[in-house]
Amino acid sequence: SAVISQKPSRDICQRGTSLTIQCQVDSQVTMMFWYRQQPGQSLTLIATANQGSEATYESGFVIDKFPISRPNLTFSTLTVSNMSPEDSSIYLCSVGQGDTEAFFGQGTRLTVV
Amino acid sequence: GENVEQHPSTLSVQEGDSAVIKCTYSDSASNYFPWYKQELGKRPQLIIDIRSNVGEKKDQRIAVTLNKTAKHFSLHITETQPEDSAVYFCASKTNTGNQFYFGTGTSLTVIP
């Protein structure tokens, strides 16, 4: 199983600012994903972080708002840009290796004030 | 794309009773079906999974069944305990895609 370290675990940010969330895995993984989970809701995929190329975004999410980096097979960042209170949520990174389960980071609880 | 539906959204059971959560999927190419448990303030964690070449899998008090023809799969928890209280998510994945599709979650409360 993969061990995923995600930070920060929580943050309170002013509207209009940006926050970068980091996800570090203890082994090389093929797939890394970023999810948003609003209170009491399911997991919504934001994008797939691709190593060496631009991330693949799901409908409703754009690169300008959620830029993603994936410099190598063990690390990725998600930035939430120009934040508004509607961006308040839990953000989770997840990794997958081939045809196996998804492992999740501990999540980042973001509050925008 | 795949559409995973999950029912019920909330479930309360008395300690010792059984709990059943059901999911349906739409993509016949889906072949891997994990179930995740998410306790309050924690990350989702895998509790059991099943692949499409198997109809049922059991791990102690937890079992999952899969009906490929009907495109539905279910989680069964027997002899429930208060520590089973959490939100449970089903998910599906195809053998060609990389993405997991999650159900909307079931909030299970086990009443002591």
Side-chain angles (χ1 to χ4, degrees):
Chain A
S1 63
V3 176
I4 305 169
S5 298
Q6 183 176 341
K7 57 181 181 181
S9 58
R10 60 178 62 229
D11 207 343
I12 300 173
C13 300
Q14 295 290 326
R15 66 178 69 199
T17 63
S18 298
L19 175 71
T20 296
I21 303 167
Q22 299 181 1
C23 183
Q24 178 74 55
V25 191
D26 68 340
S27 59
Q28 293 186 342
V29 292
T30 309
M31 309 303 301
M32 293 184 79
F33 306 93
W34 287 98
Y35 288 88
R36 182 170 70 186
Q37 186 178 30
Q38 294 178 317
Q41 302 295 315
S42 187
L43 298 143
T44 301
L45 180 65
I46 297 171
T48 301
N50 302 308
Q51 195 270 328
S53 63
E54 194 172 281
T56 304
Y57 289 85
E58 297 300 306
S59 175
F61 298 97
V62 295
I63 187 170
D64 290 345
K65 177 66 175 177
F66 297 101
I68 288 171
S69 78
R70 177 98 191 265
N72 55 53
L73 292 175
T74 64
F75 185 77
S76 178
T77 66
L78 168 74
T79 298
V80 186
S81 303
N82 188 24
M83 289 184 284
S84 66
E86 293 71 37
D87 295 320
S88 297
S89 191
I90 297 171
Y91 293 85
L92 293 139
C93 71
S94 172
V95 304
Q97 189 77 299
D99 201 18
T100 65
E101 66 177 281
F103 297 93
F104 289 89
Q106 64 267 46
T108 297
R109 182 179 294 273
L110 171 62
T111 302
V112 183
V113 298
Chain B
E2 172 72 291
N3 180 41
V4 178
E5 294 188 356
Q6 182 172 347
H7 301 280
S9 57
T10 60
L11 179 62
S12 293
V13 299
Q14 291 289 331
E15 182 176 359
D17 287 351
S18 296
V20 180
I21 303 170
K22 299 181 179 181
C23 287
T24 61
Y25 63 98
S26 60
D27 190 344
S28 57
S30 292
N31 67 342
Y32 176 61
F33 307 92
W35 285 89
Y36 288 85
K37 176 183 180 182
Q38 187 176 29
E39 297 176 344
L40 190 62
K42 297 189 176 181
R43 75 188 80 188
Q45 293 199 303
L46 181 79
I47 54 170
I48 196 167
D49 57 8
I50 192 167
R51 298 186 185 276
S52 59
N53 58 348
V54 175
E56 183 175 358
K57 183 177 178 180
K58 190 173 181 179
D59 182 4
Q60 299 182 347
R61 297 186 296 108
I62 295 173
V64 57
T65 58
L66 171 64
N67 183 325
K68 286 175 55 180
T69 303
K71 295 194 184 72
H72 65 70
F73 56 112
S74 301
L75 177 71
H76 304 253
I77 306 175
T78 58
E79 301 172 27
T80 53
Q81 302 168 1
E83 50 266 37
D84 294 330
S85 296
V87 178
Y88 293 80
F89 292 99
C90 63
S92 72
K93 182 178 178 295
T94 69
N95 57 359
T96 54
N98 299 309
Q99 181 179 341
F100 285 84
Y101 296 88
F102 287 89
T104 48
T106 297
S107 178
L108 172 65
T109 302
V110 179
I111 303 166

